[in-house]
Structure formats: C-alpha cells, structure tokens
Amino acid sequence: MAAESGPDKELLDLSFDELLEVRVASSATLAPTSTLVAPSRITRIEREAILASGARSLNELLEMQVPGLQWVYHSFGMSHLGMRGIVSNRDDKYLLLLDGQNLNHFSHAGAYTERDLPLLGDIDHVEVVHGAAAAVNGLGAVAMTINIMQRRASKAGCEGGLRAGAVERFASVELSCAGRLGALQWQWFGGVADYAGAANRDAPLVFGTALGTRWGDAVGADGRTDALPFSADRAQYRDRAPVKLALRWWDEGSDGHLRYTRGGEMSAPSVLQVALRPVGNASASSPQPYAAMEFGYQQLSAHQEFRRTLGEARWSASVEAVSTDYEERAPVFGTLFTNREDRVALRGLWRQRVQAHELSAGASQEWRYVGRRSPGYPDQVPSSEIYPGGMPAWGTRALSGFAEDQLKLGEHCTLIAGLRLEKHSTAGFSTSPRASYGCHVSAQGHLTLAASRAQRAGFEDELHAGGSGGHAFETQDSLELLYRWRSSQYGHVDLNAFINRLRVIGFVQTAENQVRSQPVGTQRSHGVEASWTGRWLGGEFSASHAWVGLESFSLAPGVTDTQVTAAPNGYGRSLNGYANHLSKLTARGPLAPGVSWWANAVVYHGFSGTADRLRYLDSLRLRGGLAATSADPAAVADRNVYFNAGLLWKGEQDLEASLHAYNIAGWFDERLNKRNYLNHVSQVRLQAPSVSAQLRWRW
C-alpha cells in the first residue's frame, strides 16, 4: 500500500495531533517537518508494499502506486514517466535521486537509469514529491522528484530472493548480507537478471493501418504485427544481463555507499521507420530486418556524508561522484551514439531551531565532465545526436546556494519559505523560490497554499553547441492548494488542486533538417489529485484519481507545431500522450493464516490529446503526398486498463513466497491492455497478460 506522506503504515492509527508531532525527513523540504504541513504532496511506497506488488521494475511500481503518475512508451528512446500534464521525449523534467544523490544524465538523456531494472530488493522505500521541488533539489525538479532510499539492515544476517516470470519472461536472483565492524554497520547487495521480455506474438506491436514493410512483408488492415519478428516487449539491452551491485556503510555520524547498475531497453521501431510509402518514409532496404532500437546504460555512484551536532546547530557535509555511460544504437538508421558523463559534487548544510524558526541553509559545488569514452564501446569515438561525427570533451561547473525557514505561527499555522540560487557556467543564473502557508481548518483537517518556481537548464551537449534557445531555462510557475484530512477511524484523505504555467523547451526541426531543442511555447494547465488510504472490511485500501486539463498552449514565435499538443493547430484541447483522467486502486487483506491477497487496478480514461495529434499529423501527411495512417483515432484514444493481483505467503522460519498475475484484463479483452506511444501516436503495443513467482528467505 502506498502511504500518502507516511513513514510506515502505523500512521493510520495516529490521531491528527499525534501526526503533527511526527517530523519526517523528505525530498520536499531541507529540514524534517510534519507531513501535514509539507509544501508539496508526497507519496511514499514502503518496502512491504514494494514486495507485495510484485512489480517487475521501478516504472511498473510507480505506475501502480503513485497518484497521477503516468507511464508511456517511445519508439526512439527509453519509456517515459509523466506527472501533472508534463511528459517529455527525454526524461528531463523530473529528477531521479538515490538517498538524495542526483542520478540524472545531464548530457543528453535525463532520468533514464534504474527505472527498468527488475532488481528491487535493496530498496527500503521510494518517495515521490509531486510537482515542483527545485527550491530543495535543484534544476530539473519541475514535474516531480523520485527519491530511491536504500535499505539499512537492523541486524546482522543475510537475505536471498529468486524470481521468475512466464509469458513476459524473466528470471532474477538477489542476495544481501549485513554486519558490523565495531561501531560501523555495513550491508552489501548483489542482483542479476535475465529479462527476455514478452515476444511480439504475446505483446504485439499494432500500427493501426495496413502497410508494406521495407523488408517485403505485408501488415493487414488491423495493423497487427503478431507474425513479424519485432523485438520482445521490455527485452533487456543487447541481451546483456541487468545488474545491480551496492555496498553501504553507516554509523551514528556518517553514511556512505558505492553502487553500480547496468540496464537498458530494446524498443521496436516506429511505423515511419518500418513502412514503405505512402504510409512511412522507409526505403526497401535494411541490413538488419526488424532490428530493435537499443538504449542502454551503466552507472557507478559513490556518496559519503558526515553529520555533526555543535550546540543547537546540526551540520552535514557530503562528497559524491556519479559516472554515467549512455549508449544508443539504431540499426534502421545505421547510427550509434555513445558517451560518458562524470560528475563530482560537494555539499554542505546547516540546520538550527531559533525560537519559532526552523532554519536551514547550505551550498553545493558541482563539476561535470562531458564527452568521455563509453565503457560499453571503448573503441568508439564519443558522439551524440547533437555531435554525430564526434563529441568533444569539455567540462562545466554549477554553484548553488539554498535556504529555508519553517516558521511556526501560533498553535495552528506554519509558514515555509525557501530559495535556491544557481549559477551554471554555460547556462547562466537561475532562481527557484517557494513559499507555503498552512493552517488547521478543523479538528482533523489542514489546508496549505503553496507557490513555487522551478527551472531546468538545457542538456550539456545542446548548451555547448549553442542550442536550447540561447541557453534559455525552462521555467514553471505553480500555485497549489493542498487539503489533508486525517482520522484514525476513517483513514487519510489528500486533496490538492494546482495551476501550472510552463515555458516549454522541446524539439524543433531546423532549416538544415536537424533537430534541436529550443523554446516551443507556453503551456498553461490545471488539475486535481485526490486519494484515500484506510482500512475497510479487514483489508487495507488506497484509491486515487487525478485529472489534468490543458487551459492553453501558445506557440513561440517561428514555431508552427509541437509534440506536446495539437491544440494550437485547431485540433482539440488536450495533451498528447497523456490521459486527462487516471484512476488507481490498491487493496490487500488476509486470506488464511500466513496467507494474504493483493490487488491493483490502473485505469487511464482515454487519450483524447493523442487522437487530436493523430488527426493533425494525418492532415500534414495528406498535404505532403503521403497517405493518412488510417489508424482509428477512437481506438488509439480508448482507455487503458491494467489489473494485477497476487497471493502472498509468510512462513514461520523467515521464508516468504508469492505468485502474481499482471495485465489480467487482457485475458478477456486484449485491447484494454494497450500502451500508447508518445511520439508515433498511431501505434500502440498490447501488454502481455503474464505471471511470476517469487521466493525470499533470511538467515
């Protein structure tokens, strides 16, 4: 069960006044604070909920458990996550953290590591801050911040895990051990998997139209490709085993880790790359028929933090390093882009309570080294889409200062004000302020009004090449109203409404037929997120619904259209690749002694903006001499329904087992299990109904 802003499920038993006294450290504030007065909505997924879900990746876990979060495919890139109407063809509008350490790839790809790995046994909990949090976490925290928190074993011992899946085929093994060396505690984790994925016959790519492929095959009027040898859905990159290795150590005044991950995804090519004219742009030739688009990574991260208390002040200082290898291979185009980015950062933070103020202030200095050789292709000259012929090596710096004041105003109100100033050696100076004011409005309710600005700089390769609109920052201004109601008898209710104004930086095709990022327009949107978590009929339940509406999108001068929406071109008033309404339900309860059941449903209530985009693109195709795709906009825009369930058994001798079934609705109507594509909107991929088994033991 995903807990709304709670450290563990026992929070459901606490009264409103007791919850006010529970101060939790989170990615939403610099200092620990009561979750009732936090300036952002926070969803926290505990380890028990992670294991109960049977999730096969972080992507799948977040889609199941986080209100409003959406997951969409991309035929030329890793799959993407979206929140509050913001989703990008590169995951650059949110941050992915590990124990607070930034894992984003700032050269080219954003938050693309960790999310695909089926190895989740080292995670204690995952925290998601909804909306802007740049005042705390820095540039890029625009749509959300995802913070993966590693486990800290409470006692010496070992734990193992075996998993296997059928139809969507995979197998994994995990092992971790913990111990103590004097005052220093340590824990290591190792995991490896083989993820073959779901074959195209079980998870078919559907183009939605009849076509001839560049390799001489024909696709019928239904657009299905079941008989064609496209890559398996979610297959591992280059048939290399996903790997996660981690060592963590800590004592009363310090905490550190060393961690290595390897992963990636294979993606089936798009209809434009496969189909002959007049449906696609392909010519009748290719050295590798039906070859997948390949996207992979390796990442090595290290972190060491020291904490001290001097009088009333609490100090912390940390040093961290991240090396990220990016690999992108497109056999259809005959292209290979590889490069490595190295980052080193120093950070310091001071916190102290002064009367009614909880004060925090700090600074960080980061060095980025870009254009290094990839360890995956050591003989390949570094390259990227911006530098296809060879990527030069260069370095940048980012200096930031940040501060926050949590001011208690009487017995019932709290004012939280924060500011982050950042100077990037190429992009320039940015400002990310935030303020919130909240009060108790009833014996069990708290109301907060928050305003913030979050910014994101362009990718390092674009900035170095003079792109991103002359080093412009992507900027979002937000206003949010949060209501939190807590009852130990009736559960927890979270209701929030938001208004966003986002100056969007996105891809635009230049006169030289190159793709560059630049300001494409201003997106104004609004929405509501509502959820309830509680107990009923002996079980635990969590239900949520999120709605996002596009108010307007104004194109920047010289820009004629955008992938974000077809609204400026007269087609609808919704966002492409994004469901206006999204509902989620998770439930769990006892079935017999030692046996419990778990169930989850995720319902995307249609993609009207995707249908609008398809109609607009078809109008352009007709003008350009191509045929309309013939894909049915209503079928593309129809709802997506994912229903998952599991049985869990706990033995008396530290032994646990579980069985899970995924995408169960597809056994009755496979069209419910479709997953949309962000870029090539006429195609979908049907998700395979599948099963898995898991065994975990401790000694």
Side-chain angles (χ1 to χ4, degrees):
M1 194 75 48
E4 287 295 323
S5 315
D8 57 56
K9 66 178 184 180
E10 272 63 46
L11 286 184
L12 286 172
D13 299 319
L14 299 181
S15 68
F16 183 84
D17 291 334
E18 289 172 325
L19 285 168
L20 285 172
E21 301 302 319
V22 178
R23 301 177 67 83
V24 179
S26 76
S27 308
T29 54
L30 291 175
T33 187
S34 166
T35 57
L36 282 172
V37 303
S40 302
R41 184 188 183 110
I42 308 167
T43 298
R44 179 168 166 144
I45 311 171
E46 300 295 339
R47 176 172 174 79
E48 184 179 8
I50 296 171
L51 296 178
S53 73
R56 298 165 293 182
S57 68
L58 187 62
N59 284 331
E60 190 169 57
L61 174 69
L62 295 174
E63 181 183 53
M64 288 177 177
Q65 302 281 358
V66 180
L69 185 142
Q70 304 195 14
W71 180 21
V72 64
Y73 276 5
H74 191 159
S75 63
F76 194 72
M78 300 280 278
S79 57
H80 307 299
L81 299 179
M83 175 73 82
R84 296 190 172 182
I86 301 173
V87 62
S88 174
N89 50 14
R90 289 187 286 180
D91 289 77
D92 52 2
K93 294 174 176 55
Y94 66 92
L95 297 183
L96 179 65
L97 311 180
L98 175 70
D99 292 335
Q101 180 184 17
N102 198 327
L103 298 183
N104 277 43
H105 183 258
F106 289 95
S107 297
H108 184 76
Y112 82 113
T113 63
E114 296 273 348
R115 297 189 291 110
D116 62 296
L117 296 177
L119 307 165
L120 305 180
D122 66 318
I123 300 175
D124 179 76
H125 65 273
V126 180
E127 180 183 81
V128 178
V129 179
H130 300 230
V136 175
N137 299 307
L139 291 176
V142 177
M144 61 180 161
T145 300
I146 302 169
N147 195 2
I148 304 168
M149 303 299 291
Q150 299 179 95
R151 291 183 65 197
R152 276 189 180 187
S154 58
K155 59 182 180 179
C158 294
E159 179 176 325
L162 295 174
R163 295 187 70 189
V167 186
E168 186 166 317
R169 299 154 295 160
F170 76 96
S172 68
V173 56
E174 299 177 348
L175 181 64
S176 66
C177 288
R180 180 185 293 270
L181 292 173
L184 184 69
Q185 294 179 266
W186 56 267
Q187 180 169 342
W188 64 263
F189 173 88
V192 62
D194 179 27
Y195 213 101
N200 193 53
R201 64 179 179 274
D202 299 311
L205 187 66
V206 180
F207 289 132
T209 186
L211 57 88
T213 76
R214 63 193 306 171
W215 302 288
D217 296 308
V219 174
D222 59 3
R224 296 177 63 101
T225 68
D226 307 48
L228 299 181
F230 283 108
S231 62
D233 189 27
R234 303 183 194 171
Q236 62 198 22
Y237 169 68
R238 288 175 64 189
D239 202 28
R240 297 191 316 190
V243 173
K244 182 188 289 186
L245 302 171
L247 174 64
R248 189 174 188 188
W249 57 91
W250 67 93
D251 59 22
E252 186 177 353
S254 67
D255 193 334
H257 74 249
L258 181 65
R259 180 183 177 97
Y260 169 79
T261 57
R262 182 179 75 184
E265 295 180 356
M266 307 282 274
S267 176
S270 75
V271 63
L272 292 180
Q273 299 153 5
V274 169
L276 299 171
R277 293 177 68 91
V279 174
N281 294 323
S283 57
S285 64
S286 174
Q288 299 184 48
Y290 300 101
M293 317 295 283
E294 303 173 358
F295 304 89
Y297 64 87
Q298 299 179 78
Q299 188 169 68
L300 180 65
S301 64
H303 176 86
Q304 179 64 57
E305 181 182 44
F306 300 95
R307 299 177 298 274
R308 295 292 183 270
T309 299
L310 299 175
E312 298 295 323
R314 295 172 295 280
W315 298 83
S316 66
S318 63
V319 57
E320 60 187 48
V322 182
S323 181
T324 307
D325 165 38
Y326 176 81
E327 303 173 20
E328 172 191 316
R329 182 170 175 265
V332 171
F333 298 134
T335 59
L336 172 63
F337 300 131
T338 69
N339 61 78
R340 190 184 85 244
E341 169 189 290
D342 299 331
R343 293 189 286 116
V344 178
L346 300 174
R347 185 176 188 266
L349 178 65
W350 161 84
R351 294 193 290 112
Q352 185 170 345
R353 180 179 292 276
V354 180
Q355 296 179 349
H357 299 265
E358 180 72 40
L359 301 174
S360 305
S364 68
Q365 173 72 60
E366 182 172 299
W367 296 267
R368 300 175 186 171
Y369 304 97
V370 182
R372 271 45 182 176
R373 284 185 182 266
S374 159
Y377 290 89
D379 299 327
Q380 178 78 14
V381 174
S383 58
S384 71
E385 292 180 21
I386 303 298
Y387 291 105
M391 191 176 185
W394 74 93
T396 62
R397 303 175 307 282
L399 174 65
S400 62
F402 38 88
E404 179 183 271
D405 182 11
Q406 299 183 21
L407 174 60
K408 186 73 173 177
L409 299 172
E411 296 183 4
H412 302 294
C413 298
T414 303
L415 174 67
I416 300 178
L419 175 66
R420 188 181 186 103
L421 306 176
E422 190 154 345
K423 176 64 168 64
H424 186 281
S425 58
T426 307
F429 187 77
S430 66
T431 306
S432 298
R434 182 183 63 183
S436 70
Y437 179 74
C439 294
H440 311 338
V441 293
S442 69
Q444 295 174 306
H446 188 89
L447 188 65
T448 299
L449 179 65
S452 64
R453 164 168 286 192
Q455 294 188 302
R456 181 192 72 85
F459 284 111
E460 294 288 357
D461 58 354
E462 296 170 344
L463 293 172
H464 187 263
S468 294
H471 306 163
F473 285 96
E474 191 165 42
T475 303
Q476 176 174 269
D477 295 313
S478 303
L479 186 65
E480 184 169 2
L481 189 65
L482 304 99
Y483 177 70
R484 300 170 172 112
W485 184 83
R486 301 291 184 261
S487 168
S488 57
Q489 181 178 2
Y490 299 108
H492 295 180
V493 173
D494 288 79
L495 176 64
N496 58 296
F498 59 87
I499 301 173
N500 291 337
R501 179 184 181 273
L502 176 64
R503 181 178 181 267
V504 179
I505 292 178
F507 281 134
V508 171
Q509 193 160 4
T510 67
E512 295 78 22
N513 202 32
Q514 293 181 321
V515 174
R516 291 290 184 268
S517 288
Q518 70 175 60
V520 298
T522 300
Q523 173 182 327
R524 291 177 173 84
S525 57
H526 46 262
V528 174
E529 296 167 344
S531 66
W532 169 77
T533 301
R535 299 189 178 101
W536 183 50
L537 297 178
E540 299 174 13
F541 293 80
S542 179
S544 70
H545 185 82
W547 166 75
V548 176
L550 177 65
E551 181 180 335
S552 67
F553 195 101
S554 304
L555 294 172
V559 177
T560 58
D561 65 9
T562 172
Q563 184 175 273
V564 176
T565 176
N569 306 102
Y571 290 81
R573 194 175 169 180
S574 296
L575 295 162
N576 172 43
Y578 208 89
N580 296 63
H581 290 269
L582 174 62
S583 301
K584 302 184 181 184
L585 173 66
T586 302
R588 182 182 179 184
L591 191 63
V595 180
S596 61
W597 58 270
W598 176 92
N600 168 263
V602 179
V603 182
Y604 293 81
H605 297 273
F607 297 81
S608 58
T610 300
D612 296 334
R613 175 76 174 164
L614 176 58
R615 294 186 184 97
Y616 168 65
L617 291 177
D618 273 349
S619 73
L620 296 182
R621 292 168 62 85
L622 292 172
R623 287 181 232 165
L626 294 174
T629 62
S630 298
D632 182 5
V636 171
D638 201 5
R639 66 190 184 279
N640 297 358
V641 179
Y642 311 121
F643 180 57
N644 315 290
L647 288 174
L648 303 96
W649 171 79
K650 274 191 176 184
E652 297 180 357
Q653 302 298 322
D654 292 325
L655 187 65
E656 300 177 10
S658 63
L659 295 172
H660 283 86
Y662 310 88
N663 305 319
I664 296 172
W667 281 326
F668 306 98
D669 185 350
E670 64 177 4
R671 294 171 298 178
L672 294 174
N673 277 1
K674 72 177 176 67
R675 191 172 295 277
N676 292 67
Y677 281 78
L678 179 64
N679 53 343
H680 295 288
V681 295
S682 63
Q683 67 188 57
V684 300
R685 189 146 200 178
L686 304 182
Q687 307 290 267
S690 50
V691 296
S692 77
Q694 179 173 216
L695 180 67
R696 303 192 72 86
W697 65 96
R698 303 175 187 86
W699 70 95

Short mmCIF file of all heavy atoms in Angstrom, two decimals, residues 508-532:
data_model
loop_
_atom_site.label_atom_id
_atom_site.label_comp_id
_atom_site.label_asym_id
_atom_site.label_seq_id
_atom_site.Cartn_x
_atom_site.Cartn_y
_atom_site.Cartn_z
N VAL A 508 12.59 21.02 -32.04
CA VAL A 508 12.12 21.71 -33.24
C VAL A 508 13.05 21.35 -34.38
O VAL A 508 14.28 21.31 -34.20
CB VAL A 508 12.09 23.24 -33.03
CG1 VAL A 508 11.80 23.96 -34.34
CG2 VAL A 508 11.05 23.62 -31.99
N GLN A 509 12.49 21.08 -35.57
CA GLN A 509 13.31 20.75 -36.73
C GLN A 509 13.78 22.03 -37.39
O GLN A 509 12.99 22.92 -37.72
CB GLN A 509 12.52 19.90 -37.73
CG GLN A 509 13.40 19.25 -38.80
CD GLN A 509 12.71 18.08 -39.45
OE1 GLN A 509 11.57 17.79 -39.16
NE2 GLN A 509 13.42 17.39 -40.33
N THR A 510 15.10 22.15 -37.59
CA THR A 510 15.69 23.36 -38.15
C THR A 510 15.62 23.34 -39.67
O THR A 510 15.28 22.34 -40.29
CB THR A 510 17.16 23.50 -37.71
OG1 THR A 510 17.92 22.44 -38.32
CG2 THR A 510 17.28 23.39 -36.20
N ALA A 511 16.00 24.48 -40.27
CA ALA A 511 16.00 24.59 -41.74
C ALA A 511 17.01 23.63 -42.37
O ALA A 511 16.88 23.24 -43.52
CB ALA A 511 16.32 26.02 -42.15
N GLU A 512 18.03 23.23 -41.59
CA GLU A 512 19.04 22.28 -42.08
C GLU A 512 18.61 20.84 -41.84
O GLU A 512 19.42 19.92 -41.93
CB GLU A 512 20.38 22.54 -41.38
CG GLU A 512 21.01 23.90 -41.69
CD GLU A 512 20.35 25.02 -40.89
OE1 GLU A 512 19.74 24.72 -39.83
OE2 GLU A 512 20.41 26.18 -41.33
N ASN A 513 17.33 20.65 -41.49
CA ASN A 513 16.76 19.32 -41.24
C ASN A 513 17.41 18.64 -40.05
O ASN A 513 17.53 17.42 -40.00
CB ASN A 513 16.88 18.43 -42.49
CG ASN A 513 15.86 17.29 -42.47
OD1 ASN A 513 14.76 17.46 -41.95
ND2 ASN A 513 16.23 16.15 -43.03
N GLN A 514 17.85 19.44 -39.08
CA GLN A 514 18.37 18.90 -37.84
C GLN A 514 17.38 19.18 -36.72
O GLN A 514 16.61 20.13 -36.78
CB GLN A 514 19.73 19.54 -37.50
CG GLN A 514 20.84 19.15 -38.47
CD GLN A 514 22.16 19.79 -38.08
OE1 GLN A 514 22.21 20.95 -37.66
NE2 GLN A 514 23.24 19.05 -38.22
N VAL A 515 17.42 18.35 -35.70
CA VAL A 515 16.53 18.52 -34.57
C VAL A 515 17.29 19.17 -33.42
O VAL A 515 18.37 18.71 -33.04
CB VAL A 515 15.95 17.16 -34.12
CG1 VAL A 515 15.14 17.32 -32.85
CG2 VAL A 515 15.09 16.57 -35.23
N ARG A 516 16.75 20.28 -32.92
CA ARG A 516 17.37 20.99 -31.82
C ARG A 516 16.31 21.36 -30.79
O ARG A 516 15.13 21.51 -31.11
CB ARG A 516 18.06 22.27 -32.31
CG ARG A 516 19.31 22.04 -33.16
CD ARG A 516 20.45 21.51 -32.30
NE ARG A 516 21.68 21.37 -33.07
CZ ARG A 516 22.05 20.27 -33.69
NH1 ARG A 516 21.26 19.20 -33.67
NH2 ARG A 516 23.19 20.20 -34.33
N SER A 517 16.74 21.53 -29.55
CA SER A 517 15.83 21.98 -28.51
C SER A 517 15.84 23.49 -28.44
O SER A 517 16.90 24.12 -28.52
CB SER A 517 16.26 21.41 -27.15
OG SER A 517 15.99 20.04 -27.08
N GLN A 518 14.65 24.05 -28.30
CA GLN A 518 14.50 25.49 -28.15
C GLN A 518 13.13 25.75 -27.53
O GLN A 518 12.30 24.85 -27.45
CB GLN A 518 14.62 26.19 -29.49
CG GLN A 518 13.43 25.94 -30.43
CD GLN A 518 13.52 26.74 -31.70
OE1 GLN A 518 14.47 26.60 -32.46
NE2 GLN A 518 12.53 27.58 -31.94
N PRO A 519 12.88 26.96 -27.05
CA PRO A 519 11.54 27.27 -26.55
C PRO A 519 10.49 27.06 -27.64
O PRO A 519 10.62 27.59 -28.74
CB PRO A 519 11.65 28.73 -26.14
CG PRO A 519 13.09 28.95 -25.86
CD PRO A 519 13.82 28.08 -26.85
N VAL A 520 9.47 26.27 -27.34
CA VAL A 520 8.43 25.99 -28.32
C VAL A 520 7.11 26.63 -27.95
O VAL A 520 6.21 26.71 -28.79
CB VAL A 520 8.23 24.47 -28.51
CG1 VAL A 520 9.49 23.83 -29.03
CG2 VAL A 520 7.79 23.82 -27.21
N GLY A 521 6.96 27.10 -26.71
CA GLY A 521 5.70 27.74 -26.35
C GLY A 521 5.48 27.73 -24.85
O GLY A 521 6.33 27.31 -24.07
N THR A 522 4.31 28.21 -24.47
CA THR A 522 3.93 28.29 -23.06
C THR A 522 2.68 27.45 -22.82
O THR A 522 1.65 27.65 -23.48
CB THR A 522 3.66 29.75 -22.65
OG1 THR A 522 4.85 30.52 -22.85
CG2 THR A 522 3.25 29.84 -21.19
N GLN A 523 2.80 26.51 -21.91
CA GLN A 523 1.71 25.59 -21.57
C GLN A 523 1.07 26.02 -20.27
O GLN A 523 1.74 26.13 -19.24
CB GLN A 523 2.25 24.17 -21.45
CG GLN A 523 1.25 23.14 -20.95
CD GLN A 523 1.86 21.77 -20.80
OE1 GLN A 523 2.74 21.36 -21.55
NE2 GLN A 523 1.40 21.02 -19.80
N ARG A 524 -0.23 26.26 -20.29
CA ARG A 524 -0.99 26.56 -19.08
C ARG A 524 -1.96 25.41 -18.83
O ARG A 524 -2.77 25.07 -19.69
CB ARG A 524 -1.76 27.88 -19.25
CG ARG A 524 -0.86 29.11 -19.31
CD ARG A 524 -1.67 30.38 -19.54
NE ARG A 524 -0.86 31.58 -19.43
CZ ARG A 524 -0.13 32.09 -20.42
NH1 ARG A 524 -0.12 31.49 -21.61
NH2 ARG A 524 0.60 33.18 -20.23
N SER A 525 -1.83 24.82 -17.65
CA SER A 525 -2.66 23.66 -17.32
C SER A 525 -3.07 23.72 -15.86
O SER A 525 -2.53 24.50 -15.07
CB SER A 525 -1.90 22.36 -17.61
OG SER A 525 -0.67 22.32 -16.90
N HIS A 526 -4.03 22.91 -15.52
CA HIS A 526 -4.52 22.85 -14.15
C HIS A 526 -5.01 21.43 -13.89
O HIS A 526 -5.24 20.65 -14.83
CB HIS A 526 -5.66 23.85 -13.92
CG HIS A 526 -6.69 23.85 -15.00
ND1 HIS A 526 -6.70 24.75 -16.03
CD2 HIS A 526 -7.74 23.02 -15.23
CE1 HIS A 526 -7.71 24.50 -16.84
NE2 HIS A 526 -8.36 23.45 -16.38
N GLY A 527 -5.17 21.09 -12.62
CA GLY A 527 -5.60 19.74 -12.32
C GLY A 527 -5.92 19.54 -10.86
O GLY A 527 -5.75 20.43 -10.02
N VAL A 528 -6.40 18.32 -10.58
CA VAL A 528 -6.79 17.93 -9.23
C VAL A 528 -6.28 16.51 -8.99
O VAL A 528 -6.35 15.65 -9.88
CB VAL A 528 -8.32 17.97 -9.05
CG1 VAL A 528 -8.73 17.42 -7.68
CG2 VAL A 528 -8.85 19.39 -9.21
N GLU A 529 -5.76 16.26 -7.78
CA GLU A 529 -5.38 14.92 -7.35
C GLU A 529 -6.11 14.62 -6.03
O GLU A 529 -6.08 15.45 -5.11
CB GLU A 529 -3.87 14.81 -7.14
CG GLU A 529 -3.06 14.99 -8.40
CD GLU A 529 -1.58 15.19 -8.13
OE1 GLU A 529 -1.21 15.50 -6.97
OE2 GLU A 529 -0.79 15.07 -9.09
N ALA A 530 -6.76 13.48 -5.96
CA ALA A 530 -7.49 13.11 -4.75
C ALA A 530 -7.18 11.66 -4.41
O ALA A 530 -7.07 10.80 -5.30
CB ALA A 530 -8.99 13.28 -4.95
N SER A 531 -7.02 11.36 -3.12
CA SER A 531 -6.75 9.99 -2.72
C SER A 531 -7.28 9.72 -1.32
O SER A 531 -7.45 10.64 -0.50
CB SER A 531 -5.24 9.70 -2.76
OG SER A 531 -4.56 10.47 -1.79
N TRP A 532 -7.56 8.46 -1.06
CA TRP A 532 -7.97 7.99 0.27
C TRP A 532 -7.21 6.73 0.59
O TRP A 532 -7.06 5.83 -0.25
CB TRP A 532 -9.47 7.70 0.31
CG TRP A 532 -9.90 6.97 1.55
CD1 TRP A 532 -10.07 7.50 2.81
CD2 TRP A 532 -10.19 5.57 1.68
NE1 TRP A 532 -10.44 6.52 3.70
CE2 TRP A 532 -10.52 5.32 3.03
CE3 TRP A 532 -10.18 4.50 0.78
CZ2 TRP A 532 -10.86 4.05 3.50
CZ3 TRP A 532 -10.52 3.24 1.24
CH2 TRP A 532 -10.86 3.02 2.58
#
